[in-house]
Amino acid sequence: ISEIKGVIPALLTPFTAEEELDEKGLRALISHLIGEGVHGLYLVGSTGEGFLMSQDERKKAVEIAMDEVKGRIPVIVHVGAISTRLSKELTVHAYESGADAVSSVPPFYYKFSEEQIIGYYRDLAEASPLPMIIYNIPLAGIMGYGTLVKLAKIPGVKGIKYTSTTHFEITQLKSDIGADFMVYSGADEMALSGLLAGSDGIIGSTYNAIPDTFLAIYDAFVKGDIERANNVMKQGVEVIMQMLKYGSLMSLLKAINRWAGVPAGYARKPFSNFTEAEEASIRKDFVALKKR
Ligand code: NAY
């Protein structure tokens, strides 16, 4: 798992305007991002609208992606579902499809106990030889530090995608669990902070649209040029804050790709897509932002 590091887009899943999984779009987006130089991909997570897809669609998206990537960069597959049984099926499928790691949010909605959550991860870790990356994100209910430490000690659990802003816990995890426990920082607007706290990589939604920004931050960080990293981060924060204004991030990230000639499609309902007039006006906002 130590080779999975750097800038890792939480890949969008392109759907057609009729909401069908868009194989051509998915392939085009992947080949575009690999061309931009990203270091890995995180499939069917929150950004990938995984929870809006059927089991079969999730599997199909993974198969298409693995075929398009062809081993060029590592792939992490998000296998989270509320039911252990469903998540295990996706885990085994990810393994058989050649993924490099799996990742999962904790089971949510029913307020499962800590014991049940630990049992969930243990079952998934045992379901395949793949390293499991736990996924702490407010959308599924943030797990406390004590729980994270217990989870990190489960055999097969090799890392965490840390999508919370309390970055001192990244530093703590690295010293409490060990330097080889992989940490991926998931708050795009805090990418540099995450790296400074000790993260091995950064996984995020906006990397689908502005991978160059994060590749520049990562490159400067690795070379020790923190001033340059910080300057690029500042510009990135401005763009991300603009992106969050329209209330439908996945639709926006897909639209930005379409404007650049990458057919990333549309988001699935209940997410809303923009009308042509809305897109034209949003596009102007971004052109204005670029000129500043
Ligand atoms: C995933 O699984 O798709 C992610 O990694 C998504 C992480 C995102 N966090 C949330 C809460 O949605 O990329 C971030 C987020 O969109 C970004 O930081 C902008 O706020």
Side-chain angles (χ1 to χ4, degrees):
I1 190 172
S2 60
E3 70 284 0
I4 311 180
K5 57 187 183 192
V7 180
I8 304 173
L11 194 73
L12 294 160
T13 305
F15 296 105
T16 64
E18 293 74 37
E19 297 200 34
E20 296 299 330
L21 181 63
D22 181 353
E23 172 164 354
K24 262 197 199 148
L26 182 56
R27 288 183 182 275
L29 179 61
I30 291 171
S31 88
H32 164 68
L33 290 171
I34 294 180
E36 290 288 305
V38 304
H39 305 122
L41 290 174
Y42 188 95
L43 306 181
V44 285
S46 339
T47 307
E49 296 172 74
F51 293 114
L52 287 76
M53 296 163 72
S54 70
Q55 288 280 101
D56 282 349
E57 286 174 325
R58 287 173 70 162
K59 291 180 188 169
K60 182 88 185 142
V62 170
E63 286 163 20
I64 294 168
M66 293 312 300
D67 182 62
E68 188 63 32
V69 171
K70 289 213 167 42
R72 287 177 286 174
I73 51 174
V75 174
I76 306 167
V77 176
H78 175 255
V79 297
I82 308 181
S83 146
T84 302
R85 192 182 169 91
L86 294 178
S87 308
K88 268 170 78 172
E89 189 184 308
L90 294 173
T91 302
V92 171
H93 177 266
Y95 174 62
E96 287 170 351
S97 307
D100 298 275
V102 287
S103 177
S104 177
V105 293
F108 54 97
Y109 188 73
Y110 290 106
K111 298 209 187 335
F112 294 100
S113 68
E114 184 189 59
E115 201 188 328
Q116 289 165 337
I117 290 175
I118 291 172
Y120 171 85
Y121 280 107
R122 187 168 286 130
D123 285 339
L124 293 197
E126 281 169 5
S128 92
L130 290 179
M132 159 59 73
I133 299 168
I134 54 188
Y135 185 177
N136 214 18
I137 181 162
L139 294 171
I142 283 290
M143 296 175 279
Y145 189 75
T147 307
L148 298 185
V149 169
K150 286 182 195 164
L151 291 175
K153 291 183 177 158
I154 298 174
V157 170
K158 302 287 185 197
I160 182 168
K161 171 159 142 43
Y162 191 90
T163 303
S164 183
T165 49
T166 35
H167 281 178
F168 64 93
E169 287 187 354
I170 293 177
T171 314
Q172 264 185 306
L173 278 169
K174 278 285 183 185
S175 47
D176 288 349
I177 309 298
D180 58 348
F181 185 72
M182 302 297 279
V183 182
Y184 305 95
S185 176
D188 306 14
E189 47 283 73
M190 295 190 67
L192 179 57
S193 161
L195 291 169
L196 288 165
S199 303
D200 303 281
I202 50 179
I203 302 179
S205 59
T206 63
Y207 310 173
N208 285 280
I210 46 169
D212 48 336
T213 298
F214 295 94
L215 288 163
I217 292 169
Y218 185 73
D219 179 65
F221 170 78
V222 168
K223 291 185 175 137
D225 189 347
I226 304 303
E227 195 182 335
R228 182 160 69 92
N230 203 27
N231 284 335
V232 185
M233 186 75 248
K234 276 186 204 160
Q235 295 161 15
V237 167
E238 242 186 287
V239 177
I240 295 167
M241 290 306 124
Q242 184 71 32
M243 287 176 169
L244 294 175
K245 280 185 185 157
Y246 305 98
S248 196
L249 185 61
M250 272 69 96
S251 313
L252 178 75
L253 297 172
K254 289 175 175 181
I256 293 176
N257 266 290
R258 281 192 272 104
W259 302 338
V262 183
Y266 300 87
R268 221 173 218 190
K269 278 183 182 174
F271 286 123
S272 43
N273 290 292
F274 304 105
T275 63
E276 265 180 50
E278 283 166 342
E279 279 201 22
S281 141
I282 296 171
R283 209 170 161 173
K284 276 191 199 143
D285 294 346
F286 281 97
V287 174
L289 189 64
K290 247 191 199 159
K291 283 194 184 136
R292 279 200 1 218

